[in-house]
Amino acid sequence: MLYDNYAMLAKRELLIRLVKILIHEKLVEDIKKIPVEMRPREKRNIDCCVHKDRYIIKHKIISILGFDIKDEDIDLISLDTYAQRSLDNKNVKESILSVVHEACSACMQSQYFITNMCRGCEGRPCLMNCPKGAVSFKQGKAIITQEDCVSCGICQKVCPYHAIIYTPVPCEEACPVKAITKNSDGTENINKDKCIYCGRCMQACPYGAIMERSKIVDIHKMASRPGVKIVAIVAPAIFGQFDATPGQIITAMKRIGFDEVVEVALGAEDTARHESAELVERINKGDAFMTSSCCPAYTEWVEKHAPAFKPYVSHTKSPMVYTARRVKEGNPDAQVVFVGPCLAKRHEADSVPEVDYVMSFEEVGAFLAAYKVDVRECEESLPDPEVTNFGRGFAQSGGVKEAVAHATGEIYSSMCIDGLTKQNIAILKSMIKKPQAQFVEVMACPGGCINGPSSLAPLSLARKNLKQAL
Amino acid sequence: MEKISLKICTGTMCYVMGGAELRAMLELLPDDFMKRLSVSYSPCMGLCGDVGEPPYIQVNGKTISGVSKSNLMQILKEALNDAV
Ligand code: SF4
Ligand code: SF4
Ligand code: FES
């Protein structure tokens, strides 16, 4: 879930400053000024000193530009060299997500911990109820021997003074598939064989230490190249991001350099149509149920963690793919940029030839701010009359379900898995033995795409904005 | 009683840098509080040139930077107290 916090604002400021120098053709020249401008001497330092703060910003910049930071090179190579390299397109084998080790505070291993609220009461239920004998008393206060503790949490539940707290590792806690774990030095590492690119760790880290790679440099390069037609295909969730009309948002996208803006809602209607036909066919052939396939974090989860689920996943392509195809059919040379709130789409797009780049809503925000485009002041563009609310409805959980139900004449039972949380994963897995509905929509983000990891607006506001657009 | 004028910047820089919910927040204020405010919204106030410290608001014409959901209430209370 997205909450305002300073780490998030720092990431946005970083993007805004990068885009500013990018559009003024001063990337190489001015990039080294960013850490100093963002962490001037007179500002309160966040880490131990202003130098460490600037060093962290440098690392975050390198990570945004798409370079892996693996060795000591980073201290030998200056930011302007990295900037030049990204302009020259030399960051091809980058990872989608990386942990900026300098920023990771190597949070304490998660543990139960007895605070000084402990009164050493006569009852001592912590001592009596710990199944592992990990609680003992020293000078009248309870302590936990960490080697014996199995983190069952019983002591916390039974303490009448709420004296026992649980200190989590936020990113590990957020990850639904245990893909992020500690290195021997305490910093975090993402296991690519397990990661489903849901992006939850990125939102959860209070140090903003987990960064997604960005294609802003390439996108800007394409947008400014004469003769190249660059088309933004925007996910319907974009209408939840701003307090403005869909027509104004489409205009705003054009102001930041796109020649044309096409709604992914259009492709969503294709998805709904194909998926409905597939559902009818599969049920007729005797299948118990079928799940949606438009959320790439979900399909990645099936691929990496639940292969037994594969036969149940629809083969229909995602709205992004259909929309990109429509654009490329009309204009094979166009550069297609998918614009959305989703980290997993970056991964999906890597294997879809029709999509050239992916841009996040946060990056859109940075371009709008840098170009000084006020969305609410933009004039109305005429939205595509072919788009219906069923297509735009894909932005929220329940939307795919509704569109498919509509297209199949509401004859099949359906349900929605709203978020790949640990609980919902258990429900999903139980379905192979005990199906609960014939059509199952699965969204990795609770609430659906409007709650995606790279959103600008918090969920409640996004819901409100989207409602006005529908 | 004189009303307090509150002007909220809805420009993109302010919106992106933490001001997105300021507008929605006003809906949560009690009625007698709202009665004493005259609220308006402004496109970019032109204060964010070098990023600066968005989000910005103006209370009775005075510019205030770095507004958040947590300090907006305090800012308004102080303005109301000054007014009596
Ligand atoms: S939340 Fe994870 S990535 Fe962030 S500082 Fe803690 S351990 Fe490091
Ligand atoms: S992106 Fe999702 S799956 Fe990958 S490490 Fe982060 S939380 Fe885990
Ligand atoms: S956007 Fe608020 S001052 Fe510019």
Side-chain angles (χ1 to χ4, degrees):
Chain A
M1 191 76 99
L2 179 69
Y3 295 110
D4 282 356
N5 70 75
Y6 294 109
M8 171 190 98
L9 293 186
K11 177 187 178 194
R12 292 188 185 169
E13 185 180 341
L14 197 52
L15 283 171
I16 292 170
R17 288 187 184 272
L18 274 171
V19 174
K20 272 189 159 191
I21 57 175
L22 187 62
I23 64 180
H24 292 121
E25 312 295 340
K26 287 203 157 133
L27 186 67
V28 179
E29 222 173 310
D30 284 354
I31 198 163
K32 58 177 181 294
K33 295 184 188 155
I34 292 180
V36 182
E37 281 165 0
M38 280 182 67
R39 296 287 176 255
R41 217 164 268 279
E42 64 276 10
K43 209 163 150 186
R44 174 188 72 98
N45 45 293
I46 294 160
D47 217 293
C48 53
C49 63
V50 71
H51 306 293
K52 171 102 190 255
D53 283 358
R54 291 175 185 172
Y55 189 63
I56 286 173
I57 296 210
K58 173 178 172 185
H59 274 227
K60 288 188 177 175
I61 293 175
I62 295 171
S63 186
I64 289 176
L65 292 180
F67 296 95
D68 272 340
I69 309 166
K70 279 205 215 75
D71 41 34
E72 309 287 344
D73 270 6
I74 172 160
D75 288 325
L76 303 172
I77 302 173
S78 60
L79 272 180
D80 38 317
T81 309
Y82 279 111
Q84 191 59 55
R85 283 187 191 175
S86 81
L87 283 172
D88 300 343
N89 240 336
K90 296 232 175 69
N91 58 345
V92 269
K93 57 171 187 13
E94 72 287 273
S95 351
I96 289 176
L97 200 60
S98 55
V99 179
V100 178
H101 284 178
E102 274 59 34
C104 177
S105 90
C107 305
M108 241 189 326
Q109 192 60 263
S110 351
Q111 57 177 6
Y112 283 88
F113 180 77
I114 299 181
T115 66
N116 56 10
M117 294 303 288
C118 167
R119 302 179 46 109
C121 62
E122 180 176 355
R124 299 196 174 176
C126 52
L127 178 69
M128 280 198 76
N129 288 284
C130 174
K132 294 286 167 188
V135 179
S136 58
F137 275 74
K138 211 175 189 174
Q139 288 161 350
K141 301 264 188 212
I143 50 169
I144 295 174
T145 307
Q146 291 304 334
E147 296 78 69
D148 298 331
C149 171
V150 291
S151 290
C152 67
I154 291 177
C155 57
Q156 188 191 38
K157 276 192 211 97
V158 298
C159 172
Y161 291 107
H162 302 287
I164 302 173
I165 56 161
Y166 175 68
T167 55
V169 179
C171 58
E172 292 183 11
E173 206 83 2
C175 179
V177 292
K178 294 200 170 64
I180 185 162
T181 49
K182 286 196 178 299
N183 291 321
S184 54
D185 65 354
T187 58
E188 295 289 331
N189 179 53
I190 296 173
N191 181 342
K192 288 208 183 87
D193 298 329
K194 286 188 172 173
C195 178
I196 60 172
Y197 307 106
C198 66
R200 247 176 257 165
C201 54
M202 185 170 81
Q203 253 191 3
C205 175
Y207 289 86
I210 303 172
M211 302 287 293
E212 62 185 311
R213 69 142 192 237
S214 171
K215 287 289 179 196
I216 47 176
V217 174
D218 306 66
I219 293 170
H220 173 68
K221 239 167 51 185
M222 281 300 160
S224 23
R225 192 168 290 173
V228 174
K229 181 167 172 138
I230 182 160
V231 181
I233 58 172
V234 295
I238 199 169
F239 301 130
Q241 300 301 305
F242 302 96
D243 188 1
T245 64
Q248 286 177 313
I249 294 173
I250 289 172
T251 307
M253 291 302 295
K254 291 183 186 154
R255 293 266 180 87
I256 61 175
F258 290 103
D259 297 310
E260 202 184 308
V261 182
V262 178
E263 289 190 45
V264 172
L266 216 54
E269 319 234 350
D270 298 337
T271 298
R273 210 165 341 100
H274 290 288
E275 204 145 274
S276 303
E278 198 184 351
L279 179 65
V280 175
E281 195 187 307
R282 287 205 191 195
I283 299 287
N284 286 345
K285 156 181 134 221
D287 280 8
F289 71 99
M290 182 183 88
T291 79
S292 61
S293 62
C294 51
C295 170
Y298 163 61
T299 50
E300 198 68 10
W301 173 77
V302 173
E303 197 67 39
K304 289 177 173 162
H305 300 273
F309 237 77
K310 260 196 210 161
Y312 301 99
V313 181
S314 156
H315 290 148
T316 300
K317 300 275 179 250
S318 70
M320 170 177 86
V321 175
Y322 288 123
T323 312
R325 273 187 197 166
R326 280 171 180 252
V327 174
K328 289 254 158 135
E329 269 160 23
N331 195 337
D333 296 328
Q335 292 287 309
V336 174
V337 183
F338 172 82
V339 178
C342 181
L343 179 73
K345 283 282 180 209
R346 292 195 192 270
H347 182 67
E348 183 191 350
D350 280 348
S351 60
V352 177
E354 293 92 340
V355 178
D356 298 290
Y357 303 105
V358 170
M359 186 179 193
S360 74
F361 288 159
E362 282 188 313
E363 289 159 5
V364 169
F367 271 93
L368 290 170
Y371 274 113
K372 296 196 170 299
V373 176
D374 261 8
V375 189
R376 283 159 55 86
E377 300 298 310
C378 286
E379 71 279 13
E380 293 280 339
S381 286
L382 213 54
D384 189 329
E386 251 190 89
V387 172
T388 72
N389 278 351
F390 283 109
R392 286 189 180 165
F394 270 55
Q396 279 187 83
S397 54
V400 182
K401 189 183 101 171
E402 255 173 62
V404 169
H406 175 76
T408 50
E410 325 246 350
I411 54 168
Y412 300 108
S413 60
S414 59
M415 68 179 285
C416 168
I417 292 286
D418 187 14
L420 271 187
T421 56
K422 286 168 192 158
Q423 296 90 312
N424 281 345
I425 285 181
I427 298 180
L428 260 176
K429 283 189 166 160
S430 74
M431 276 192 218
I432 295 187
K433 285 212 180 94
K434 234 177 73 211
Q436 297 186 18
Q438 290 165 305
F439 181 73
V440 184
E441 167 194 317
V442 188
M443 291 284 169
C445 296
C449 304
I450 48 168
N451 196 24
S454 309
S455 309
L456 280 173
L459 182 58
S460 57
L461 181 66
R463 280 207 175 113
K464 218 169 98 185
N465 290 341
L466 187 72
K467 209 168 148 196
Q468 283 168 9
L470 291 184
Chain B
M1 211 180 318
E2 279 276 309
K3 280 201 177 192
I4 304 287
S5 90
L6 165 67
K7 197 189 246 181
I8 296 184
C9 178
T10 57
T12 303
M13 182 74 83
C14 289
Y15 185 87
V16 169
M17 291 301 291
E21 282 177 299
L22 294 181
R23 231 168 101 92
M25 226 203 108
L26 292 181
E27 288 166 20
L28 305 175
L29 294 184
D31 273 353
D32 51 340
F33 208 109
M34 279 308 280
K35 261 189 229 137
R36 299 198 48 201
L37 295 180
S38 112
V39 184
S40 59
Y41 300 98
S42 160
C44 174
M45 293 178 174
L47 300 160
C48 59
D50 191 32
V51 185
E53 271 188 78
Y56 291 98
I57 61 170
Q58 275 174 356
V59 177
N60 282 340
K62 191 171 141 236
T63 301
I64 302 172
S65 65
V67 181
S68 66
K69 279 182 281 174
S70 73
N71 66 13
L72 177 65
M73 199 59 190
Q74 193 55 36
I75 292 167
L76 292 178
K77 267 191 195 148
E78 273 166 28
L80 283 175
N81 285 341
D82 288 350
V84 234

